[in-house]
Amino acid sequence: MALIQITEPGQAVDPHQRKRAAGIDLGTTNSLIASVREGQTETLQDVVGNSLLPSVVHYGADKNGASEITVGAAALAKATTDPMNTIASAKRLLGRGLAELAGTEAAEQYAFVPVQEGMVQLQTAAGSTSPVQVSAEILKTLAQRGSETLGGELDGVVITVPAYFDDAQRQATRDAAELAGLQVLRLLNEPTAAAVAYGLDSGDEGLTVIYDLGGGTFDVSLLRLSRGVFEVLATGGNASLGGDDFDHRLMSLMRAKLTPDLVLSPSLNRRLLMQARFCKETLSTEATVNFELTEGDLHLTGSISRAEFEDAIADLVDETIRSARRVMRDAGLGEEAVDQVVLVGGATRVPLVRAKVESYFGKAPLTHIDPDRVVALGAAMQADVLVGNKPDAEMLLLDVLPLSLGLETMGGLVEKLIARNTPIPVQRAQEFTTFKDGQSAMLIHVMQGEREQVADCRSLARFELKGIPAMVAGAAKIRVVFQVDADGLLSVSASETGTGVTAAVVVKPSYGLSDQEITQMLKSSFAHAQEDAEARMLLEARLDAEQLTEALRSALAQDGEALLSDEVRLGLFQGIDQLAQVAGGSDVALIKAETEKLSQASDPFAALRMDQEVRRALAGHTLDDVLPVESS
Ligand code: ADP
Ligand code: MG
């Protein structure tokens, strides 16, 4: 297995020219852009001084029917009045097919139009759009902020994605960046970015938990740092739990306090929700908060204490702790093994969240970097290195493959080319050969997973290498190269080394694996290790038997009558039948013994064929032509 040299992008640097690089946190609720300037990493602000850009895009049409697209706070303001044309939380839809979204909240909220390839489109007043296009609008707005602040077009960006994002979601993120005209240096896992912002990558090794509670999602990841590489040991969380749920709990509390039986108009209801959010954020630093709402003659006031709020959300926070516990259990580790806990996401400002996290892990979490910004800041640091501004920077931080990648080989077995947890980018090559005489095509079946058999792994792609020149079995050399880029995207190529015929695929599965599925696949591989090893031995024994009978049959067909007595020939045919019968069973030792027996029985025949070959080759030559002339 050859490990091929990997070149990192942008390592050649003109020392006199700093490049403009930025890190982008493309969030479900809020997005940010950050950059390293004069040694300081900072988030970049819009003209009115806001760092956070609400991840919301409004698609309207002006009087003449021309489309008008607004992004950020202005779009968010339209969410209440024009919800159908205001797309929020597009990140939840990225790289997802209609089938996957069926029954989700988003499916009820937006008008999806089915398109080919199964990805969704959204119908708006300004025509149809897609989650990729919505994300591109957000990226464009941030990039513009970046180039205005940094004084020119950006040379490259690092965009963060959740650790559990699969290939399709990562590819959709890349597509959005391309649409926004951005040069993507790398996609980086959000928890990894947070760890980088805290400088944890400069440590030797250690276990870090990243607890990320955003607006509508909760992600918890366990990272292990070793030799400068972060490995995602386990991830978990809840895709429909976040700070917004706190808002709803607080709103119910406020309603109960106000006028339990008063029916609020929809507009008042919406304003109450906005008030609830404001109250929640205030309660992160104050012990009580007052609120008031007026509509016409109606004048409502009230106050909420932090204790009341905490009471109302305690079960939600407990739920996040349960997720964290599951992650630790999946990794087979206890809380005491964790070296540090990092808080990410605006909702971790809630004091109750901090308290519960601290009490579960038994140590104070790291909070001194703004939890809203920490991901963008880490991404900016990576971007600065990747764009080449730090030529003497140490080893670049890498992510690892979550599951092994391999190929289906004969007998339904999986040959792993790249083991799980291998740092990416990576390229590995291996040579395979043909199984049958004259085989002119080879099916390349790309697999993902830890188990030994095809049936237990996940199929990623299939393609065929055609035009292999006719040769005897085992003579063709098929070189298969697996290449995983820094974003975790896999390309596979196969070529016949003699003729150079090549076939290749880029693996872009439209439905990837969720973190639960990955965990499940890993668990089952551990549970079945013994069973798998036995199954592998059986399949290999059968394969050897099949290969021998195949070769012997073809030899008998060619030369059997010319070289063997009827009796010997019949004996060999019987041997073939007998071996075939045994190979149908599952006694590995017996299959091996019968294979060996037939192999020995056919040895004299093989020798006769060899002699015949030599005689043919020598025909028309004298011995002097082929034997070395002895010097006298
Ligand atoms: P995402 O990663 O999903 O884009 P963020 O990390 O920006 O989301 O988190 C947004 C959430 O954080 C919202 O629910 C917001 O109300 C909440 N939040 C922001 N500031 C505070 C605060 N001071 N106290 C409590 N919650 C806050
Ligand atoms: Mg976030």
Side-chain angles (χ1 to χ4, degrees), residues 580-631:
Q581 208 161 24
V582 169
S586 52
D587 186 338
V588 175
L590 187 62
I591 300 173
K592 282 190 168 166
E594 285 296 324
T595 308
E596 187 51 37
K597 212 166 94 189
L598 182 62
S599 167
Q600 278 177 13
S602 64
D603 273 353
F605 178 40
L608 285 173
R609 293 189 81 211
M610 196 87 83
D611 286 350
Q612 175 180 274
E613 274 310 300
V614 172
R615 270 197 305 276
R616 267 187 206 142
L618 289 181
H621 294 272
T622 67
L623 268 186
D624 288 347
D625 288 340
V626 291
L627 291 179
V629 183
E630 235 152 303
S631 53

XYZ file of all heavy atoms in Angstrom, residues 580-631:
383
model
N -15.889 -28.726 -5.142
C -17.020 -27.805 -5.267
C -18.073 -28.125 -4.212
O -18.661 -27.223 -3.610
C -17.620 -27.891 -6.664
N -18.243 -29.411 -3.977
C -19.245 -29.822 -3.000
C -18.847 -29.370 -1.590
O -19.638 -28.789 -0.855
C -19.368 -31.342 -3.039
C -20.734 -31.830 -2.645
C -20.949 -33.247 -3.147
O -19.984 -33.989 -3.372
N -22.188 -33.631 -3.308
N -17.591 -29.618 -1.255
C -17.087 -29.243 0.071
C -17.129 -27.725 0.260
O -17.482 -27.224 1.325
C -15.645 -29.781 0.248
C -15.011 -29.198 1.483
C -15.662 -31.293 0.305
N -16.807 -27.000 -0.814
C -16.743 -25.538 -0.713
C -18.115 -24.926 -0.468
O -18.226 -23.805 0.028
C -16.122 -24.947 -1.972
N -19.171 -25.682 -0.788
C -20.515 -25.181 -0.515
C -20.826 -25.200 0.972
O -21.688 -24.473 1.444
N -20.097 -26.008 1.718
C -20.326 -26.089 3.161
C -19.556 -25.013 3.893
O -19.035 -24.085 3.281
N -19.475 -25.124 5.221
C -18.812 -24.050 5.957
C -17.676 -24.571 6.838
O -17.283 -23.926 7.800
C -19.841 -23.286 6.781
O -20.590 -24.198 7.549
N -17.147 -25.752 6.482
C -16.019 -26.284 7.248
C -14.716 -25.789 6.616
O -14.247 -26.323 5.610
C -16.099 -27.820 7.236
C -15.039 -28.456 8.132
O -14.014 -27.779 8.413
O -15.238 -29.608 8.541
N -14.145 -24.756 7.219
C -12.970 -24.106 6.637
C -11.821 -25.095 6.483
O -11.166 -25.166 5.431
C -12.528 -22.902 7.505
C -11.240 -22.297 6.978
C -13.626 -21.857 7.543
N -11.574 -25.890 7.539
C -10.436 -26.816 7.516
C -10.596 -27.834 6.380
O -9.634 -28.138 5.664
C -10.320 -27.527 8.860
N -11.823 -28.332 6.218
C -12.085 -29.324 5.174
C -11.887 -28.725 3.775
O -11.274 -29.344 2.903
C -13.515 -29.859 5.328
C -13.889 -31.028 4.409
C -13.005 -32.244 4.692
C -15.365 -31.405 4.583
N -12.364 -27.503 3.584
C -12.208 -26.853 2.272
C -10.725 -26.696 1.960
O -10.259 -26.981 0.856
C -12.906 -25.478 2.234
C -14.406 -25.638 2.503
C -12.680 -24.778 0.893
C -15.156 -24.325 2.664
N -9.970 -26.266 2.987
C -8.535 -26.060 2.780
C -7.858 -27.382 2.430
O -7.015 -27.449 1.528
C -7.901 -25.464 4.033
C -8.158 -23.980 4.166
C -7.320 -23.400 5.285
C -7.349 -21.882 5.215
N -6.841 -21.285 6.431
N -8.217 -28.431 3.157
C -7.587 -29.737 2.939
C -7.899 -30.253 1.534
O -7.008 -30.722 0.820
C -8.072 -30.732 3.994
N -9.169 -30.124 1.121
C -9.567 -30.604 -0.212
C -8.903 -29.789 -1.324
O -8.550 -30.318 -2.376
C -11.096 -30.551 -0.363
C -11.831 -31.654 0.383
C -11.495 -33.057 -0.145
O -11.312 -33.205 -1.374
O -11.414 -33.989 0.674
N -8.754 -28.504 -1.072
C -8.091 -27.640 -2.060
C -6.647 -28.094 -2.239
O -6.140 -28.218 -3.353
C -8.126 -26.163 -1.601
O -9.464 -25.812 -1.282
C -7.605 -25.228 -2.681
N -6.009 -28.328 -1.101
C -4.613 -28.753 -1.119
C -4.486 -30.089 -1.871
O -3.582 -30.278 -2.684
C -4.110 -28.866 0.333
C -2.621 -29.144 0.497
C -1.727 -28.177 -0.309
O -2.076 -26.982 -0.394
O -0.709 -28.641 -0.861
N -5.429 -30.998 -1.597
C -5.394 -32.326 -2.224
C -5.496 -32.210 -3.743
O -4.697 -32.791 -4.482
C -6.566 -33.175 -1.685
C -6.266 -34.657 -1.602
C -7.311 -35.374 -0.761
C -8.421 -35.950 -1.617
N -9.547 -36.456 -0.827
N -6.453 -31.407 -4.179
C -6.652 -31.255 -5.622
C -5.455 -30.548 -6.251
O -5.033 -30.874 -7.358
C -7.940 -30.471 -5.900
C -8.288 -30.289 -7.381
C -8.510 -31.631 -8.069
C -9.530 -29.414 -7.553
N -4.910 -29.592 -5.520
C -3.762 -28.861 -6.030
C -2.592 -29.823 -6.260
O -1.926 -29.793 -7.295
C -3.392 -27.760 -5.039
O -2.134 -27.226 -5.351
N -2.374 -30.725 -5.278
C -1.281 -31.693 -5.431
C -1.569 -32.672 -6.561
O -0.679 -33.001 -7.350
C -1.063 -32.438 -4.123
C -0.215 -31.620 -3.161
C -0.037 -32.306 -1.825
O -0.343 -33.499 -1.674
N 0.465 -31.555 -0.861
N -2.819 -33.095 -6.645
C -3.175 -34.048 -7.691
C -2.988 -33.453 -9.080
O -2.716 -34.178 -10.043
C -4.627 -34.495 -7.503
N -3.105 -32.128 -9.171
C -2.993 -31.518 -10.498
C -1.565 -31.058 -10.808
O -1.295 -30.604 -11.913
C -3.964 -30.344 -10.617
O -3.600 -29.335 -9.708
N -0.678 -31.178 -9.844
C 0.707 -30.742 -10.062
C 1.371 -31.393 -11.282
O 1.980 -30.690 -12.096
C 1.556 -30.988 -8.802
C 1.471 -29.807 -7.834
O 0.868 -28.777 -8.225
O 1.980 -29.911 -6.707
N 1.258 -32.740 -11.424
C 1.906 -33.353 -12.593
C 1.365 -32.788 -13.910
O 2.124 -32.583 -14.860
C 1.538 -34.842 -12.456
C 1.211 -35.036 -11.024
C 0.645 -33.750 -10.539
N 0.072 -32.541 -13.946
C -0.541 -31.960 -15.144
C 0.056 -30.573 -15.425
O 0.406 -30.236 -16.566
C -2.059 -31.892 -14.940
C -2.828 -31.275 -16.071
C -2.494 -31.537 -17.404
C -3.911 -30.447 -15.815
C -3.218 -30.977 -18.444
C -4.637 -29.880 -16.851
C -4.290 -30.143 -18.175
N 0.199 -29.774 -14.354
C 0.783 -28.441 -14.505
C 2.203 -28.550 -15.048
O 2.614 -27.775 -15.925
C 0.790 -27.716 -13.153
N 2.956 -29.549 -14.558
C 4.335 -29.729 -15.020
C 4.346 -30.094 -16.507
O 5.155 -29.570 -17.278
C 5.028 -30.812 -14.186
N 3.419 -30.985 -16.914
C 3.344 -31.377 -18.321
C 3.048 -30.164 -19.200
O 3.622 -29.997 -20.271
C 2.234 -32.428 -18.519
C 2.552 -33.841 -18.033
C 1.310 -34.724 -18.125
C 3.687 -34.441 -18.870
N 2.143 -29.314 -18.713
C 1.791 -28.121 -19.493
C 2.988 -27.185 -19.616
O 3.217 -26.568 -20.637
C 0.627 -27.367 -18.839
C -0.672 -28.130 -18.879
C -1.793 -27.243 -18.411
N -2.274 -26.352 -19.455
C -2.775 -25.152 -19.236
N -2.830 -24.672 -18.027
N -3.200 -24.419 -20.232
N 3.719 -27.091 -18.524
C 4.904 -26.233 -18.513
C 5.902 -26.721 -19.571
O 6.424 -25.935 -20.351
C 5.538 -26.289 -17.124
C 6.514 -25.185 -16.865
S 5.623 -23.763 -16.227
C 5.514 -24.235 -14.517
N 6.148 -28.045 -19.582
C 7.081 -28.627 -20.557
C 6.632 -28.297 -21.971
O 7.421 -27.933 -22.833
C 7.130 -30.158 -20.419
C 7.889 -30.581 -19.175
O 8.512 -29.688 -18.554
O 7.835 -31.773 -18.825
N 5.350 -28.460 -22.185
C 4.798 -28.206 -23.512
C 5.035 -26.752 -23.925
O 5.415 -26.466 -25.049
C 3.300 -28.506 -23.486
C 2.592 -28.158 -24.763
C 1.109 -28.485 -24.652
O 0.701 -29.615 -24.898
N 0.342 -27.495 -24.232
N 4.836 -25.836 -22.949
C 5.073 -24.416 -23.212
C 6.512 -24.183 -23.638
O 6.804 -23.456 -24.583
C 4.801 -23.569 -21.951
C 3.372 -23.156 -21.748
C 2.772 -22.524 -22.989
O 3.302 -21.491 -23.447
O 1.787 -23.082 -23.507
N 7.430 -24.826 -22.873
C 8.850 -24.634 -23.159
C 9.168 -25.158 -24.556
O 9.861 -24.507 -25.333
C 9.725 -25.335 -22.090
C 11.197 -25.301 -22.480
C 9.526 -24.672 -20.733
N 8.602 -26.327 -24.850
C 8.878 -26.892 -26.182
C 8.373 -25.970 -27.283
O 9.036 -25.742 -28.276
C 8.237 -28.279 -26.306
C 9.181 -29.394 -25.858
C 8.695 -30.745 -26.362
N 7.338 -31.043 -25.965
C 7.025 -31.577 -24.770
N 7.963 -31.837 -23.881
N 5.777 -31.838 -24.484
N 7.184 -25.419 -27.050
C 6.638 -24.501 -28.053
C 7.538 -23.296 -28.244
O 7.803 -22.861 -29.343
C 5.259 -23.994 -27.609
C 4.132 -24.824 -28.161
C 2.810 -24.159 -27.831
N 1.763 -25.175 -27.783
C 0.769 -25.179 -26.909
N 0.677 -24.216 -26.005
N -0.121 -26.136 -26.925
N 8.010 -22.784 -27.125
C 8.842 -21.587 -27.180
C 10.153 -21.880 -27.898
O 10.738 -21.019 -28.552
C 9.118 -21.086 -25.764
N 10.621 -23.129 -27.746
C 11.913 -23.476 -28.322
C 11.822 -23.886 -29.785
O 12.827 -24.009 -30.454
C 12.544 -24.628 -27.536
C 13.041 -24.279 -26.135
C 13.649 -25.500 -25.480
C 14.042 -23.140 -26.190
N 10.609 -24.121 -30.244
C 10.453 -24.602 -31.604
C 11.151 -23.674 -32.583
O 10.987 -22.460 -32.520
C 8.969 -24.712 -31.953
N 11.972 -24.249 -33.434
C 12.654 -23.437 -34.436
C 13.945 -22.807 -33.926
O 14.642 -22.115 -34.640
N 14.264 -23.019 -32.657
C 15.516 -22.472 -32.124
C 16.468 -23.618 -31.816
O 16.039 -24.736 -31.588
C 15.263 -21.713 -30.819
C 14.442 -20.480 -31.012
N 14.986 -19.263 -31.312
C 13.099 -20.284 -30.953
C 14.022 -18.374 -31.439
N 12.845 -18.980 -31.223
N 17.732 -23.353 -31.789
C 18.645 -24.375 -31.286
C 18.897 -24.057 -29.829
O 18.653 -22.935 -29.373
C 19.993 -24.349 -32.020
O 20.648 -23.143 -31.688
C 19.794 -24.440 -33.518
N 19.390 -25.015 -29.138
C 19.635 -24.807 -27.720
C 20.599 -23.656 -27.467
O 20.502 -22.956 -26.468
C 20.192 -26.080 -27.091
C 19.160 -27.030 -26.501
C 19.854 -28.177 -25.792
C 18.259 -26.290 -25.518
N 21.502 -23.463 -28.423
C 22.481 -22.386 -28.243
C 21.830 -21.009 -28.164
O 22.337 -20.096 -27.549
C 23.476 -22.385 -29.410
C 24.415 -23.566 -29.313
O 24.430 -24.192 -28.219
O 25.088 -23.862 -30.313
N 20.676 -20.920 -28.859
C 20.004 -19.621 -28.833
C 19.506 -19.246 -27.445
O 19.387 -18.081 -27.117
C 18.760 -19.635 -29.749
C 19.177 -19.642 -31.204
O 20.331 -19.261 -31.452
O 18.351 -20.034 -32.043
N 19.154 -20.245 -26.716
C 18.504 -19.927 -25.443
C 19.372 -20.187 -24.226
O 19.074 -19.703 -23.146
C 17.166 -20.690 -25.293
C 16.160 -20.147 -26.270
C 17.373 -22.165 -25.452
N 20.400 -20.921 -24.366
C 21.256 -21.153 -23.200
C 22.435 -20.189 -23.248
O 22.932 -19.865 -24.309
C 21.785 -22.593 -23.204
C 20.739 -23.664 -22.940
C 21.396 -25.045 -23.007
C 20.101 -23.456 -21.575
N 22.839 -19.725 -22.098
C 23.989 -18.829 -22.086
C 25.227 -19.536 -22.646
O 25.458 -20.698 -22.348
C 24.168 -18.485 -20.613
C 23.390 -19.499 -19.864
C 22.316 -19.995 -20.776
N 25.956 -18.865 -23.465
C 27.165 -19.455 -24.052
C 28.263 -19.487 -22.998
O 28.559 -18.464 -22.377
C 27.639 -18.634 -25.279
C 28.847 -19.288 -25.912
C 26.496 -18.487 -26.256
N 28.779 -20.656 -22.784
C 29.826 -20.752 -21.761
C 31.122 -20.130 -22.254
O 31.543 -20.364 -23.373
C 30.065 -22.217 -21.404
C 29.912 -22.405 -19.909
C 29.477 -23.809 -19.595
O 28.429 -24.240 -20.117
O 30.206 -24.441 -18.850
N 31.687 -19.349 -21.432
C 32.935 -18.718 -21.855
C 34.060 -19.746 -21.756
O 34.128 -20.520 -20.811
C 33.241 -17.510 -20.977
O 33.206 -17.901 -19.628
